[in-house]
């Protein structure tokens, strides 16, 4: 069953072309001129119950605008949208009962109130019963580990603490759909990991999740489907694994070495198609390789033939990189056609 | 700050400082021009209040002269008071209070220019704009309500002196009230209390002659009378001879007094700032 | 309806708690409000020392009108100060979170702040109001008492409605710092004095276009049977409903063109 249905959704923003100062304003009154920009330009999307969708694209691609259209914050210029069977911007209150929303840059908590008071206000707005509220809150407090934070005011929380509390606030009423706009922006690794674990649990519980992000880790850990948007249009919609295999095949292995390698060209010779470069004044090596051509184990073993490897990490391409390259036509859409470079 | 200033040869330092203050005045003027839509709505608000006063007094004086004022003289009095009241009415205190509340004022401490003079330079820049718009509004209102008589003969010189003093005097009050934020942390309340006191005791709404004797005496001694009542009375000839110069002297004394009060408060506040941090 | 009222009270209550954390502000704002309204009273008193009446209105009659403006302001500031946050909420994107909560967005905005000067206004306005009622020349028949109760209770709603209407300009002006609604607030203060002192244009604006006169002057005429058409004051409940509906209409129109902020 489709939880979210969007059909040819468009949102056009109009900016007045105004000269500076009062003179400009007055002239604008007589001679109205605008520049129009379609932030969302014909998007169609179906999300089924229990799906976890990553919605990504470069800055200004229209991600947040889409989320705001789906949540009823903005009224679309044209097109249709239905969430849980209702038109969100026409029935905002009804819509709000069935969704939870977190904006990474903005808190939905009352700034000067203890977190607990914010939760209780939301409880009353959602009309939750005492038992239901208790149960949901206890579960969220445990999963997000926010028990110690309930009595501090929102303005005293750190970014990571605030984000955990915001997530709890959005999920208090156990909504079937949750939208997260950049939920991990600005957070450190440890907090990110904790949040991703939490989101996996939420999705496993049958909640439909739509999240926008810049962070490939968010997507890989949580989502099964990837929608890529650029300049207001969807340029890819499909399985996450498939996109990564197709567009983001190249991995880079960075290895720290105990001593200088015998020969870099020796490594390159063992790994046809891979690019080998020196790092850290010769005490490190970076190998860019295609995982379909060489396994990570093969790359490592090739390195170990030439030097003692002390430490290593594998870097995956950032999704915005993939998007940018795809849009520039540097990448082929069909898998398997790519030959070793 | 003083150490820095002392390091520069006095003459060169003075010239450089003058140039800096002039630049600040110009920047203030330009920023008002840039935000003039907002400024003009603010002006509209004060204009509406002034228009209400004119209507009210027209009704009060419909029957004839009261307390020495007939309707044309009252018109002139109110409009001079309105123009005087429009000076230093925008932004200087807002900016100061905002920077003090945010703690940005700590950065002003290390600038090689005098804080108070800098704010005064800005107030002058805003003042040019405020005076211009105030005069335009007053002229329009005068036209609407049947003209304004020329200034009283013989009172022109003290009026001119008094008019020049209005701006630094109003600056003194505004500056001191904005510095109070160092101790209260709240400006909206301080500002509206200041506006209430100034509005009543400056004689901007009702000439002080309408007050009972004891209140008149009090008001004449307070700094507020010089902000509207003194120049307006001089204009309509309500003060003449020795009384005129006495009022101007009180005005001048308060101008200087508030300037030094501002200095003392700034010293106290900046000491507190350097001890506790911004 | 009952749920809305209850939630409104909950939001205001929470706001009150947050506000009381800044106790110093409370006192400063209260004193400022007392001073501001007190000065207005002294002003009237100074004028009426010199003349017995203006256009047939005696001192305490005018004080009654004046006190109604102060009371109205006090109620609006205590119960619906949030209207004045609209420029910031709308133009810095804060409305986003409001729109995804299941409670009327307009009521959420209105209850998002409590004005700490409200109490000062109520105390002084209330004292002047009581003093004026004692001194005005009126015979208190049951009908007159009922009329007074009705029109005085509706008067603050006129101001709240017009506050919403003028502050909705935020959706169109698109700046978080606007003096526009403040200019109209000052226009409303013209309703502190008997309407008869103004020219025809001002009278029309205050009674028809933006009927601020229904928060003070018209209710007073109905109760005191003064002025040219005292029956007009009986329309105060209608004017209140009209202003609130206008405010709601403007807010809804605004929401359809709300653009949030950023991309």
């Amino acid at each position: 069953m489709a939880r979210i249905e969007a059909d040819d959704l468009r949102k056009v923003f109009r900016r007045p072309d105004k000269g500076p100062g009062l003179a400009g304003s007055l002239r604008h009154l007589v001679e109205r001129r605008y520049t129009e920009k379609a932030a969302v330009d014909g998007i169609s999307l179906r999300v089924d119950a229990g799906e976890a969708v990553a919605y990504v694209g470069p800055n200004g691609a229209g991600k947040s605008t889409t989320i705001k259209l789906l949540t009823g914050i903005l009224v679309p210029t044209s097109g249709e949208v239905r969430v849980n069977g209702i038109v969100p911007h026409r029935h905002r209150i009804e819509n709000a009962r069935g969704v939870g929303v977190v904006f990474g840059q903005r808190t939905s908590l009352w700034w000067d109130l203890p977190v607990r008071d914010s939760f209780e206000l939301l409880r009353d707005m959602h009309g939750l019963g005492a038992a239901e509220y208790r149960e949901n809150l206890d579960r969220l407090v445990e999963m997000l580990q926010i028990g110690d934070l309930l009595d501090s005011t929102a303005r005293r929380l750190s970014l990571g603490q605030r984000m955990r509390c915001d997530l709890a606030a959005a999920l208090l009423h156990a909504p079937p759909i949750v939208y997260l706009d950049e939920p991990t922006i600005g957070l450190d690794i440890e907090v990110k990991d904790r949040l991703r674990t939490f989101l996996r649990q939420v999705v496993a519980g049958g909640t439909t999740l739509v999240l926008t992000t810049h962070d490939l880790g968010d997507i890989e850990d949580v989502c099964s489907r990837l929608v890529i948007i650029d300049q207001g249009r969807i340029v890819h919609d499909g399985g996450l694994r498939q996109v990564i295999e197709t567009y983001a095949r190249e991995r880079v292995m960075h290895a720290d070495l105990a001593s200088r390698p015998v020969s870099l060209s020796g490594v390159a010779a063992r790994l046809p198609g891979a690019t080998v470069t020196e790092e850290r004044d010769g005490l490190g090596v970076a190998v860019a390789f295609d995982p379909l051509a060489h396994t990570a184990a093969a790359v490592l073993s090739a390195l170990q033939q030439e030097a003692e490897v002390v430490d290593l990490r594998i870097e995956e391409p950032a999704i915005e990189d993939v998007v940018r390259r795809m849009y520039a036509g540097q990448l082929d859409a069909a898998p398997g056609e790519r030959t070793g470079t | 700050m003083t150490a820095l200033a002392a390091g520069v040869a006095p003459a060169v330092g003075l010239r450089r400082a003058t140039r800096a203050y002039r630049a600040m005045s110009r920047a203030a003027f330009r920023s008002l021009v840039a935000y003039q839509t907002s400024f003009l709505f603010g002006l509209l608000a004060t204009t509406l209040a002034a228009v209400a006063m004119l209507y009210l007094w027209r009704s009060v004086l419909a029957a004839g002269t009261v307390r020495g004022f007939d309707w044309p003289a009252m018109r002139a009095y109110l409009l001079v008071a309105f123009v005087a009241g429009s000076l230093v009415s925008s932004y200087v205190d807002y900016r100061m209070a905002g920077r003090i509340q945010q703690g940005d004022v700590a950065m002003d401490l290390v600038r090689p220019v005098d804080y108070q003079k800098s704010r005064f330079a800005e107030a002058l820049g805003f003042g040019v704009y405020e005076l211009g718009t105030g005069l335009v509004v007053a002229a329009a209102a005068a036209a609407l309500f049947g003209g304004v008589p020329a200034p009283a003969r013989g009172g022109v010189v003290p009026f001119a002196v008094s008019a020049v003093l209005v701006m630094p005097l109003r600056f003194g009050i505004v500056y001191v009230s904005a510095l109070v934020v160092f101790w209260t942390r709240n400006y909206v309340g301080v500002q509206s209390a200041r506006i209430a006191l100034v509005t009543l005791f400056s004689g901007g709404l009702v000439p002080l002659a309408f007050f009972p004797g004891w209140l008149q005496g009090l008001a004449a001694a307070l700094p507020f009378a010089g902000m509207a009542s003194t120049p307006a009375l001089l204009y309509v000839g309500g003060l003449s001879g020795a009384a005129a110069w006495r009022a101007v002297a009180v005005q001048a004394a308060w101008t200087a007094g508030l300037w030094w009060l501002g200095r003392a408060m700034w010293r106290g506040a900046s000491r507190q700032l350097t001890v506790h941090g911004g | 309806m009952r749920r809305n009222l209850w939630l409104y009270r909950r939001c205001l209550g929470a706001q009150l708690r947050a506000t009381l954390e800044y106790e110093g502000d409370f006192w400063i704002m209260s004193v400022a409000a007392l001073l501001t309204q007190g000065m207005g009273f002294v002003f009237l008193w100074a004028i009426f020392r010199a003349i017995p009446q203006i256009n047939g209105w005696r001192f305490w009659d005018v004080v009654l009108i004046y006190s109604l403006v102060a009371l109205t302001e006090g109620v609006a500031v205590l119960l619906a100060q949030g209207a004045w946050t609209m420029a910031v909420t709308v133009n810095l994107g804060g409305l986003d979170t409001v729109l995804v909560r299941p409670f009327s967005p307009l009521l959420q905005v209105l209850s998002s702040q409590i004005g700490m000067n409200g109490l000062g206004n109520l105390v002084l306005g209330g004292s002047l109001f009581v003093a004026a009622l004692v001194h005005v020349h009126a015979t208190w028949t049951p009908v007159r008492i009922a009329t007074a109760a009705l029109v005085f209770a509706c008067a603050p709603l006129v101001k709240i409605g017009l506050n919403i209407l003028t502050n909705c300009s935020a959706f169109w002006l698109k700046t978080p710092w606007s003096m526009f609604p403040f200019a109209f607030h000052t226009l409303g203060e013209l309703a502190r004095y008997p309407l008869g002192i103004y020219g025809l244009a001002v009278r029309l604006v205050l009674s028809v276009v933006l009927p601020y006169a229904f928060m003070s002057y018209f209710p007073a005429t109905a109760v005191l049977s003064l002025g040219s058409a005292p029956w007009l004051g009986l329309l105060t409940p209608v004017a209140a409903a009209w202003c609130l509906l206008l405010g709601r209409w403007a807010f809804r129109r605004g929401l359809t063109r709300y653009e949030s902020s950023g991309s």
Side-chain angles (χ1 to χ4, degrees), chain A residues 39-338:
Chain A
V40 166
D41 196 5
I43 277 182
S44 301
L45 195 65
R46 280 174 66 88
V47 180
D48 289 327
E51 266 195 293
V53 180
Y55 196 64
V56 304
N59 275 332
K63 291 176 303 216
S64 291
T65 305
T66 311
I67 296 285
K68 285 170 188 168
L69 289 168
L70 296 182
T71 48
I73 291 171
L74 296 178
V75 179
T77 310
S78 67
E80 302 270 335
V81 56
R82 271 171 195 285
V83 174
N84 289 325
I86 52 178
V87 179
H89 57 271
R90 242 175 256 145
H91 305 278
R92 286 202 171 89
I93 294 181
E94 224 177 302
N95 174 61
R97 289 185 202 286
V99 304
V101 189
V102 174
F103 297 104
Q105 285 100 312
R106 201 185 295 290
T107 183
S108 64
L109 304 167
W110 279 257
W111 199 238
D112 285 318
L113 289 183
V115 174
R116 188 190 302 279
D117 290 20
S118 284
F119 287 174
E120 285 172 1
L121 275 172
L122 288 169
R123 172 197 68 193
D124 293 346
M125 285 187 184
H126 283 288
L128 300 178
E132 191 186 2
Y133 170 71
R134 205 48 286 149
E135 191 183 310
N136 288 352
L137 181 64
D138 286 349
R139 189 168 41 85
L140 290 165
V141 163
E142 197 208 312
M143 290 201 302
L144 290 161
Q145 298 171 21
I146 52 172
D148 301 341
L149 307 177
L150 292 180
D151 292 314
S152 23
T153 51
R155 81 186 127 90
R156 296 217 176 87
L157 301 179
S158 73
L159 188 62
Q161 294 172 329
R162 209 210 70 205
M163 180 52 69
R164 274 144 61 201
C165 293
D166 257 317
L167 272 171
L171 291 163
L172 264 182
H173 55 297
I177 303 179
V178 173
Y179 304 94
L180 307 174
D181 194 10
E182 302 282 358
T184 59
I185 199 163
L187 302 183
D188 60 43
I189 295 287
E190 196 190 335
V191 182
K192 272 185 190 176
D193 278 347
R194 200 185 303 170
L195 281 189
R196 288 171 187 162
T197 311
F198 169 74
L199 291 177
R200 272 201 306 275
Q201 290 171 311
V202 169
V203 173
T207 304
T208 306
L209 180 75
V210 177
L211 72 84
T212 77
T213 184
H214 273 84
D215 196 320
L216 196 61
D218 285 353
I219 305 166
E220 290 209 296
D221 282 7
V222 181
C223 299
S224 49
R225 175 175 163 197
L226 178 64
V227 176
I228 302 177
I229 174 178
D230 193 28
Q231 303 197 356
R233 294 167 191 274
I234 291 178
V235 292
H236 170 87
D237 184 351
L240 170 65
R241 243 16 277 175
Q242 176 206 348
V243 172
I244 294 185
E245 305 289 281
T246 311
Y247 303 116
R249 278 231 297 262
E250 192 178 82
R251 302 279 189 282
V252 180
M253 180 182 290
H254 298 271
D256 293 351
L257 308 176
S259 58
R260 287 173 182 279
V262 179
S263 133
L264 279 182
S265 52
V267 178
R270 287 170 211 278
L271 299 167
T275 319
V276 183
T277 42
E278 188 188 88
E279 276 182 331
R280 299 177 64 236
D281 290 331
L283 280 175
V285 171
V287 183
F289 65 101
D290 179 345
L292 291 187
H294 310 284
T295 62
V299 176
L300 179 60
S301 113
L303 280 170
Q304 279 171 331
Q305 308 274 334
E306 303 290 338
E308 189 187 337
V309 176
V310 182
D311 195 6
L312 65 85
R313 81 196 142 81
I314 297 178
E315 189 182 277
E316 306 201 340
I319 200 74
E320 54 265 52
D321 216 34
V322 177
V323 175
R324 208 183 51 237
R325 286 160 68 189
M326 186 163 68
Y327 202 78
Q330 291 177 355
L331 291 169
D332 292 319
E337 282 178 22
R338 192 178 154 196

Side-chain angles (χ1 to χ4, degrees), chain B residues 78-102:
Chain B
L78 289 172
L79 288 174
V80 173
F82 169 75
V83 176
S86 67
L87 293 172
V88 206
S89 59
S90 37
Y91 301 107
V92 179
D93 50 340
Y94 268 117
R95 280 195 188 179
M96 276 176 65
R99 287 181 72 81
I100 295 171
Q101 281 163 339
Q102 307 294 326

Side-chain angles (χ1 to χ4, degrees), chain B:
Chain B
M1 199 168 80
T2 28
L4 229 170
V8 185
V12 179
L14 187 68
R15 210 176 315 132
R16 205 176 287 161
T18 314
R19 206 182 312 140
Y21 295 132
R22 217 179 287 148
M24 280 184 235
S25 292
R26 268 200 306 274
F29 177 79
R30 269 201 299 268
S31 72
L32 251 199
V33 175
Y35 290 107
Q36 58 189 337
T37 320
S38 176
F39 173 79
L40 289 178
F41 279 127
L43 185 72
L44 177 64
T46 50
T47 303
L48 285 170
V51 167
M53 281 305 103
L54 285 167
Y55 274 121
L56 183 66
W57 283 106
R58 189 180 66 174
S59 297
V60 169
L61 299 174
T65 304
V66 181
R67 296 275 194 273
F69 285 90
D70 60 3
W71 173 223
M74 186 57 94
R75 279 199 307 256
Y77 177 93
L78 289 172
L79 288 174
V80 173
F82 169 75
V83 176
S86 67
L87 293 172
V88 206
S89 59
S90 37
Y91 301 107
V92 179
D93 50 340
Y94 268 117
R95 280 195 188 179
M96 276 176 65
R99 287 181 72 81
I100 295 171
Q101 281 163 339
Q102 307 294 326
D104 298 338
V105 70
M107 283 184 280
D108 298 325
L109 274 174
V110 296
R111 295 233 167 97
V113 285
D114 181 81
Y115 183 80
Q116 189 166 354
K117 285 182 194 161
S118 305
R119 300 292 83 76
F120 185 65
E122 281 174 2
L124 277 177
F126 292 136
V128 172
Y129 200 89
E130 291 162 339
L131 182 66
T133 47
L135 284 173
V136 169
V137 170
L144 192 68
F145 283 87
V148 158
R153 227 179 284 159
V156 176
V157 179
F159 168 72
V161 177
S162 172
V164 169
L165 283 173
V166 168
M167 155 82 206
L169 177 63
R170 285 190 60 93
F171 172 78
I173 292 276
V174 168
Y175 181 77
V176 164
S177 70
L179 285 186
V180 171
V181 176
F182 271 112
W183 292 274
T184 63
R185 293 280 136 192
N186 169 308
Y187 188 59
V188 182
V190 174
Q191 187 198 33
S192 50
R194 190 243 305 153
I195 289 176
L197 286 171
V198 168
T199 310
L200 189 72
F201 287 113
S202 69
L205 296 182
V206 49
L208 301 176
F210 281 70
F211 288 160
W214 60 273
L215 201 54
Q216 276 187 53
L218 179 68
L222 288 174
F224 309 112
M227 300 167 72
S229 170
T230 306
L233 278 180
L234 288 168
Y235 185 93
V236 300
L239 283 171
S240 55
W245 286 111
R246 204 162 40 238
V248 174
V250 172
Q251 207 186 353
W254 272 116
T255 306
L258 285 169
W259 182 267
W260 289 112
L261 177 63
R263 279 239 174 285
M265 283 174 72
W266 173 250
R267 253 198 313 277
S270 51
R271 198 174 305 132
Q272 187 190 343
L273 201 64
T274 41
V275 173
H276 301 298

Side-chain angles (χ1 to χ4, degrees), chain C residues 3 59 68 124 143 146 151 167 184 203-204 209 215 227 244 254:
Chain C
R3 176 180 172 272
F59 176 56
L68 283 173
L124 201 89
V143 173
V151 294
N167 275 289
F184 286 99
R203 286 210 301 267
L204 272 177
V209 183
M215 68 179 180
L244 287 173

